[in-house]
Amino acid sequence: MTRLEDLGAAVARSPGPVAEVDIGQLLRTLWRRRWVILSITGLSLVAAFFILSQITPIYTATTKVMIESRRSRVLDGRELVSGMEPVNMTVMSQVEVIQSRNIAKRVADKLDLYNDKRFNPALMPSQGSRLMGTLSALVGEVRQLFTGPARQIDEATRAQRQREAVVDKVLGSLTVEPVPQSLVIRIGMRSPDPVLAAQLVNAYADACVEEQLESKFETVRHISTWLNSRLESLRTAVVDSERAVAAYRTANGLVDTSQRGQSTNQQQLSELSSQLVMAQAKRAETEARLSRVESALASGHTDGALDDMLDSPLVQHLKEEQATLARSVTELRARYGDRHPDMVKAKSELAQVERQLTGEIQNLVKSLRNDFAVQKQRESSIAAQIRSAEGSVLTQSKAEIRLHELERDAQANRVLYESFLSKFKESGEQEQFQQADTRVISPAEVPRRPSYPRRPMVLTAAAVLGLLGGIALVLLLEQLDRTVRTRDQLEELVGLPTFALIPQIKGGTGETGVQSYIMDHPSSSYAEAFRMAWVGLQQGLGEQGGIVVVTSSVPEEGKSLTSLSLARVVSTLGQRVIVIDADLRRASLGAKAGVQAPHTFPEVIAGRVTVEEAIINDPLSQADILISRPGGHKDVNLLASSDRVAEILNGLRARYDLIVVDSPPALAMADVQVLSRMADKTVFCVRWDQTPRETVLSALRVLRDAKAKIAGLLLTRVDISKHSRYGYHDVGYYYARYRNYYSE
């Protein structure tokens, strides 16, 4: 693919501006247009200051109230007046209470806001203009067309509406918000007067406490009235139930056992049961003794019978005496024998004691039998008494069932009456002393700074918005800016090399100062730029040189000055150079070079003079010049004789190393298409920060259609100081930064 085809493809696919911008490029863009950003930011701050000066400052005073977590009860267990639970529902309920109209009315009454013109618009003097009055009347008539005639209201209704409007304004100035994760509520009031704001919010907090106290007082009064009415009926019920108990007890012969615990029949039955148990035990014991004694006597074992009778003193004495006499008989027998008088006496005495012992045992057995019979009879008697007592107790128990029922009714009425009487006295005491469920923990102070508008925040927001707006405007301007400022932008736009950035010469456009500047300052950045352009151009021309057409998109892009400067710089390098002014309509090369000639390039084309007669020498360099005169509109068709122009240019090839042709702009005339076909290379000039990118692409498309051999581009009339401030790190940036390399 040829270079021209590359250009055509690049021009066809180029979207215009560079789509992607790196961070460094973005920062350089913002810095380049910093005064736009600062101006927008300043305007934003000025507007904010003006708006703030027109707004009436609003002061907000705040106070804090806390909900008590304890419970205050009037009736234990029943909770006729329930305390407040420390839960979120309770806090939000209290917030709604604070925002109620009752509290607002209480505050308005306490501070007499109905007579304050800041809250009652009806007290404000009418200061409106006649125009405003007319407009108000007109609005009223239009409203009547849709809503009908306004109803006439009396003075009382009007006053009530004014009071409601004052309450609405109080509520409109109120802010209530719970403090998260606590039982604290923050109350705020807004007002243009800071002192009034503090008074309002403190009055609001006091009104909340008073409202709770009065609510409790009213509840306690209601409870006291209700208890008092109930006490009378309860007292009557207690008297009636106790009378019924007494009458039933009398009618059934029942004795009050509430103190003793049991009735007489029950006590008698209990005692008889105890006696029966004792009699049965005693009878059983006597029967057992009698059985053992009789068994011993029947078997002849009197010793066993005597053992059960040892508790008899006489038997015990006789037994001891028997034992003593028995020992004496034994001793006397051993000593004297059975016939000794003492022995006989002792036996006689022993026999007498044994007879007495036997008689006493028989008497005791008889007495034991009598005791057994008596005890058995007594047991039977007690059993009979128990059966009789049980019948009486059963009868009494049946009667006491109804008695107990009556007593329970009487006791229940008595307990209920006593409970209500106790609570009635307690409610009377609580009516004298009540404590609100909320208390003020932080009274409001007079605010020193307005809460609205928040000047620091507004100014900061204005500065930020102005800064962002300035940045957005800069980015918008950057997107709308279709010009070219850097070598990279131009090369990426068209896909062709850019030979150099041609600086703008300060102090003029070149009619008087250029010829001396470029020659008097050969080490200047301006001259160095053209040397760089010649080096780049040589790579396309080769060592043989050739014809170079210099053109641009539109006028005023510096192509004529570029053509002259390029010719002069190349001539200082020992090359044979001629520059031809082919812009027949706006010829300016002679004026820029400061020369005049008797013959011109159009005359040579027309054949009226030879080339040698028309060529003149540049007074400041070794270059030759072939000029045209301005206003040559009648010669516009001369370039169409392409054969004659080609013949002239080819004739000059043998004499010069470089032929520079200053052609018209590509978009203005068709001459450049003729000239570019004859040239070996075409150099395209683009004015820095002026020529739109679309214009550049259109002009290059024209050259592409003309089969022009474009060698490269020059970015002309570059403001080096401004270019360096933009931060473009290219050749132009270093022109300004390293001035000691140049002699300006």
Side-chain angles (χ1 to χ4, degrees):
M1 183 179 291
T2 65
R3 185 68 175 176
L4 188 59
E5 292 173 344
D6 292 340
L7 171 62
V11 172
R13 68 173 181 267
S14 177
V18 179
E20 297 181 359
V21 180
D22 58 11
I23 298 299
Q25 180 66 26
L26 176 61
L27 294 178
R28 287 191 294 271
T29 300
L30 297 179
W31 176 252
R32 183 174 69 252
R33 298 183 182 267
R34 60 188 179 277
W35 295 114
V36 175
I37 298 175
L38 293 177
S39 299
I40 297 299
T41 304
L43 290 176
S44 178
L45 287 174
V46 170
F49 272 112
F50 177 75
I51 294 174
L52 289 174
S53 65
Q54 301 300 314
I55 297 177
T56 302
I58 302 298
Y59 295 85
T60 300
T62 59
T63 184
K64 293 180 181 179
V65 297
M66 186 179 72
I67 302 175
E68 297 289 352
S69 59
R70 61 179 180 82
R71 297 180 65 88
S72 176
R73 306 189 185 199
V74 175
L75 298 179
D76 294 337
R78 301 300 179 186
E79 301 184 5
L80 293 182
V81 179
S82 61
M84 304 189 70
E85 292 288 350
V87 294
N88 183 59
M89 184 180 298
T90 300
V91 175
M92 298 309 298
S93 299
Q94 190 64 27
V95 169
E96 294 299 324
V97 172
I98 295 175
Q99 293 176 336
S100 64
R101 296 184 69 85
N102 290 336
I103 305 294
K105 289 179 180 179
R106 187 182 293 273
V107 173
D109 293 336
K110 183 177 182 179
L111 298 180
D112 194 19
L113 300 180
Y114 304 111
N115 295 320
D116 191 336
K117 61 183 180 181
R118 291 171 294 187
F119 285 87
N120 192 349
L123 301 179
M124 294 290 291
S126 178
Q127 298 179 352
S129 62
R130 180 175 300 177
L131 177 60
M132 293 301 297
T134 304
L135 290 176
S136 300
L138 181 61
V139 171
E141 292 179 359
V142 173
R143 184 184 298 116
Q144 289 182 10
L145 293 177
F146 294 96
T147 62
R151 294 182 300 174
Q152 298 295 328
I153 58 175
D154 54 11
E155 190 64 27
T157 304
R158 184 179 294 105
Q160 180 63 28
R161 291 184 178 179
Q162 291 179 2
R163 293 174 67 88
E164 293 297 329
V166 171
V167 173
D168 292 337
K169 194 163 185 178
V170 171
L171 290 174
S173 302
L174 173 68
T175 57
V176 183
E177 57 182 6
V179 178
Q181 305 299 323
S182 70
L183 298 175
V184 178
I185 300 175
R186 185 185 294 109
I187 305 175
M189 290 296 293
R190 301 184 299 273
S191 175
D193 186 356
V195 177
L196 179 60
Q199 292 176 351
L200 284 171
V201 75
N202 286 327
Y204 228 100
D206 295 339
C208 294
V209 176
E210 293 173 1
E211 177 73 13
Q212 283 194 349
L213 288 175
E214 289 191 2
S215 176
K216 285 193 171 185
F217 285 144
E218 184 64 28
T219 304
V220 172
R221 292 193 193 100
H222 177 74
I223 293 173
S224 299
T225 303
W226 179 75
L227 288 174
N228 191 25
S229 63
R230 284 287 295 159
L231 282 175
E232 290 298 327
S233 60
L234 291 174
R235 187 181 298 111
T236 302
V238 169
V239 172
D240 293 342
S241 60
E242 289 182 347
R243 286 177 179 174
V245 170
Y248 186 81
R249 195 185 297 278
T250 301
N252 292 275
L254 299 176
V255 181
D256 187 4
T257 60
S258 59
Q259 298 297 328
R260 292 174 293 177
Q262 290 182 342
S263 64
T264 303
N265 292 334
Q266 289 176 339
Q267 292 177 359
Q268 182 181 3
L269 180 59
S270 179
E271 292 175 359
L272 289 174
S273 297
S274 300
Q275 291 177 9
L276 178 60
V277 171
M278 294 174 61
Q280 288 175 346
K282 192 172 183 180
R283 188 261 308 163
E285 181 183 357
T286 303
E287 185 179 6
R289 288 179 63 191
L290 179 59
S291 178
R292 287 196 301 271
V293 170
E294 288 179 346
S295 297
L297 291 176
S299 61
H301 298 289
T302 57
D303 292 338
L306 292 176
D307 290 338
D308 290 332
M309 299 178 182
L310 287 178
D311 56 345
S312 175
L314 180 57
V315 172
Q316 184 68 24
H317 174 70
L318 291 175
K319 190 173 181 181
E320 291 177 355
E321 187 175 356
Q322 181 186 17
T324 301
L325 291 174
R327 285 194 301 271
S328 298
V329 170
T330 302
E331 290 176 357
L332 289 175
R333 182 181 287 117
R335 185 182 296 177
Y336 302 110
D338 291 334
R339 297 188 179 202
H340 191 277
D342 292 336
M343 180 63 179
V344 173
K345 181 179 179 182
K347 288 182 176 180
S348 176
E349 291 177 356
L350 178 59
Q352 185 178 358
V353 170
E354 289 177 351
R355 287 194 296 272
Q356 290 179 352
L357 182 59
T358 301
E360 186 61 27
I361 289 174
Q362 291 177 353
N363 292 333
L364 288 174
V365 171
K366 183 179 180 180
S367 176
L368 188 59
R369 288 193 181 98
N370 292 334
D371 290 340
F372 174 72
V374 171
Q375 291 174 1
K376 189 174 181 180
Q377 184 178 2
R378 185 171 181 272
E379 181 182 352
S380 300
S381 177
I382 293 174
Q385 292 178 3
I386 287 176
R387 287 192 294 273
S388 177
E390 287 178 347
S392 299
V393 169
L394 181 59
T395 302
Q396 184 179 8
S397 298
K398 292 180 179 180
E400 286 181 347
I401 292 176
R402 176 57 180 169
L403 176 63
H404 292 330
E405 182 180 353
L406 296 175
E407 287 179 341
R408 283 194 299 272
D409 292 341
Q411 181 65 21
N413 291 333
R414 188 181 302 108
V415 170
L416 185 59
Y417 173 74
E418 291 175 353
S419 176
F420 271 71
L421 181 61
S422 175
K423 300 310 172 185
F424 176 74
K425 294 180 179 180
E426 182 179 347
S427 64
E429 294 177 357
Q430 289 193 2
E431 188 174 356
Q432 300 299 324
F433 177 76
Q434 280 290 343
Q435 184 177 0
D437 291 327
T438 58
R439 62 186 179 91
V440 180
I441 62 174
S442 178
E445 297 180 355
V446 177
R448 290 175 291 182
R449 297 183 181 86
S451 60
Y452 175 83
R454 297 183 179 179
R455 300 179 70 88
M457 185 179 69
V458 172
L459 293 177
T460 302
V464 172
L465 291 176
L467 183 63
L468 295 177
I471 293 174
L473 179 60
V474 165
L475 296 178
L476 178 62
L477 292 176
E478 193 69 17
Q479 291 296 322
L480 296 177
D481 185 3
R482 312 301 294 170
T483 62
V484 180
R485 294 194 186 92
T486 70
R487 187 174 188 171
D488 293 339
Q489 287 179 351
L490 187 57
E491 290 181 350
E492 188 171 356
L493 177 67
V494 301
L496 294 171
T498 300
F499 293 146
L501 273 66
I502 310 301
Q504 172 73 49
I505 299 176
K506 302 296 183 180
T509 59
E511 285 81 356
T512 59
V514 172
Q515 67 272 22
S516 61
Y517 187 88
I518 194 170
M519 300 308 297
D520 294 341
H521 300 84
S523 298
S524 64
S525 59
Y526 182 78
E528 187 65 30
F530 281 101
R531 280 191 285 271
M532 295 176 63
W534 171 241
V535 171
L537 185 60
Q538 270 188 315
Q539 295 178 1
L541 291 175
E543 297 181 357
Q544 300 299 326
I547 303 172
V548 175
V549 172
V550 179
T551 186
S552 64
S553 303
V554 292
E556 302 298 331
E557 293 196 72
K559 60 177 181 57
S560 298
L561 182 59
T562 298
S563 301
L564 178 61
S565 298
L566 178 63
R568 284 177 172 177
V569 168
V570 173
S571 68
T572 60
L573 299 177
Q575 302 290 325
R576 295 173 298 169
V577 182
I578 184 172
V579 55
I580 302 174
D581 190 351
D583 189 353
L584 305 184
R585 294 170 179 82
R586 295 186 58 185
S588 60
L589 188 62
K592 285 180 170 56
V595 296
Q596 293 182 355
H599 304 290
T600 62
F601 181 54
E603 294 178 15
V604 175
I605 300 174
R608 292 192 291 271
V609 295
T610 63
V611 174
E612 290 76 7
E613 293 175 341
I615 293 176
I616 60 175
N617 297 114
D618 181 17
L620 299 179
S621 67
Q622 299 299 319
D624 292 336
I625 302 176
L626 185 57
I627 67 172
S628 299
R629 289 190 179 90
H633 298 285
K634 61 182 180 179
D635 301 325
V636 295
N637 294 322
L638 292 177
L639 289 178
S641 303
S642 58
D643 295 338
R644 176 58 181 165
V645 175
E647 179 183 352
I648 296 172
L649 294 177
N650 290 328
L652 294 174
R653 284 179 182 272
R655 298 175 54 184
Y656 296 97
D657 299 321
L658 178 65
I659 303 170
V660 180
V661 180
D662 178 18
S663 71
L667 293 179
M669 275 73 66
D671 299 348
V672 67
Q673 301 180 37
V674 176
L675 295 173
S676 61
R677 292 193 188 101
M678 304 174 188
D680 297 312
K681 293 294 179 182
T682 300
V683 176
F684 191 82
C685 296
V686 178
R687 184 172 179 178
W688 181 84
D689 197 25
Q690 287 292 328
T691 307
R693 301 180 185 185
E694 291 78 8
T695 302
V696 173
L697 294 175
S698 298
L700 290 175
R701 189 176 294 110
V702 171
L703 295 176
R704 181 199 64 182
D705 295 340
K707 307 299 182 181
K709 304 176 184 66
I710 302 176
L713 294 88
L714 293 176
L715 199 57
T716 61
R717 304 186 69 174
V718 179
D719 189 336
I720 295 300
S721 60
K722 189 175 180 181
H723 182 86
S724 63
R725 289 197 300 269
Y726 287 169
Y728 299 137
H729 293 271
D730 55 10
V731 175
Y733 175 79
Y734 293 102
Y735 281 166
R737 187 163 185 176
Y738 300 106
R739 293 182 180 275
N740 54 345
Y741 279 87
Y742 309 108
S743 176
E744 301 293 349

